Amino acid sequence: MSDPHARPDPRRKRLPFFSPRGLVVRALILGAAFGIAHLAGLRGHATFLSGATAAGIHPILSAVLGCAYLALYVGAVLVAPVFLIAGGILVVVLRLLGRQAQSVRGRQESLSGQER
Amino acid sequence: MGEDRAGPVSDRTRILASIAAIALAAAAWLPALRLIFDPDPAEFFTERGVAPKARLLAERHLRLWRDPDLRRHEIERMRVRNAEWDFMGRSFFVWSLANLALREPSQAAECLDVMDAIIGETIRIEDEGGVHAFLMPYGRTARFVQSEPGEPPRSHFVDGEIALMLGMRRVVADREEYREPLRIRIDRIVTRMRKSPVLSGESYPNECWTFCNTLGLAALRVADVLDGTDHQGLIHDWIATAKERLVEPATGLLISAYTVSGQSIYGPEGSTIWMAAHCLALVDEAFAADQYARAKREIGRNVLGFAYAREWPPSCPGGIDVDSGIVIPVLGISASSSGLAFVAAATFDDRPFLEGLLASLSLGGFPIERDGTLAYASSNQVGDAVLLYAMTLGPIWQRVKERGRP
């Protein structure tokens, strides 16, 4: 049973999507999900694309599993690498922007110090 | 990555920077995909001998025909959806085996055995169930207009493909028992063609298909070479009539289906035109090359190095049906058309298009290589048989052309 009065654990805050870590973690989740689907043998259900169904299973279930595999494949092959690369780019960009912001702030502080 | 939430950069800047990073990453990754999905064409196509992947694909089909349980299961699975697929899977596999036998003479005996088994069983099923055993149910909804009253209905689709099975088998190694069955099929094909003002036989009631009629022409050519008959005049007349009456004016492509009197039912389609170009290559190379070039221009596509084929030219849109298969929206990718595009590209030795198609196959075909066999999960038995045919074709057409030279 969860305690309704308990305060949320600040360490379990949702990782924002638009952040280097957020992108990398989502890329890893997509990759892992596809890996599990692949190891579970869902690839054979991709035959729904040809209008056929995999052996020994209800056609609708086979199509659903095939759709899921296809979506995870697209996620792993097209989306996850983009997120990984974007995460890397973002680290560099945010670091540069951060340095720039700090130097601007530093300059402003030194200017205001001189004025005083 | 320590500055994920807070830091010297505002949330707005972080989000905008992330969107720009994702766009930049996509711009870098998507073109690079082609470098990753870059199969070696020599694994699939070879001028002499049998390419390794073709061997694996062939092995899967051979196992289906060696193992009666496996075969029954696979055929039932396909026939539930479409009896045509069962039939075409047989045809394309027999034609592949004929080419394989010429490519690898040490395998010829086994190829011939399997070809004979398939031909025998196919004719037996047709004898027992009639022509409808291999047609879709709508074939029963009307009368075949070219059949004489009291005669069992005949389909150009079934007669043409069986004739070509028999003919190709005899090109590899002649067999006396097949001479008469081939003659009978050829007579039926010719009789039906002569009953139509556009010299075409119906595959379904009052429905002539360019796929089946060009395939019928190829069967006539093979029979001429084997038995010394001469249907050159009829073939020439069909092509002249087709150029005049069966070509869609905007694209210059042959239409796919038409009535016995020549009225268009379906415009140009990828699932027809690629195979038509392949069959025409045996009887009129210039017309075939022209149709191939037009088809490639109208429905062949290449995105980031991945080639595919649409089912319909943009100027002649159509509706999704059993021939087109699933069509992926926006890009208009058709699995049937793309599969048959392999056959045409291999016929015309169009290496750049073939390499693009192979890249697409490795990206979206979902190959399953297991125990010395290869199957494509996004395909089915007939799709894999078409691919196998594309990977092996050449020797039979070449032999027929050589023998047919005056």
Side-chain angles (χ1 to χ4, degrees), chain A residues 20-102:
Chain A
R21 198 178 291 166
L23 288 168
V24 170
V25 166
R26 280 159 180 86
L28 294 177
I29 291 170
L30 286 172
F34 172 70
I36 291 166
H38 188 74
L39 291 175
L42 261 58
R43 174 165 277 218
H45 296 287
T47 193
F48 86 95
L49 287 168
S50 69
T53 51
I57 190 167
H58 191 278
I60 292 174
L61 181 59
S62 176
V64 169
L65 292 173
C67 282
Y69 184 83
L70 196 63
L72 292 170
Y73 179 78
V74 169
V77 173
L78 296 182
V79 183
V82 169
F83 284 1
L84 272 181
I85 298 168
I89 294 171
L90 203 54
V91 170
V92 176
V93 170
L94 290 181
R95 200 163 285 169
L96 290 174
L97 288 174
R99 266 190 214 152
Q100 204 178 15
Q102 269 175 342

Side-chain angles (χ1 to χ4, degrees), chain B residues 172-191:
Chain B
V172 177
D174 209 349
R175 188 172 167 177
E176 189 56 34
E177 296 97 299
Y178 287 155
R179 190 178 287 264
E180 188 59 8
L182 178 60
R183 190 196 61 75
I184 292 169
R185 301 270 170 189
I186 293 295
D187 281 353
R188 284 182 198 155
I189 289 170
V190 171
T191 305

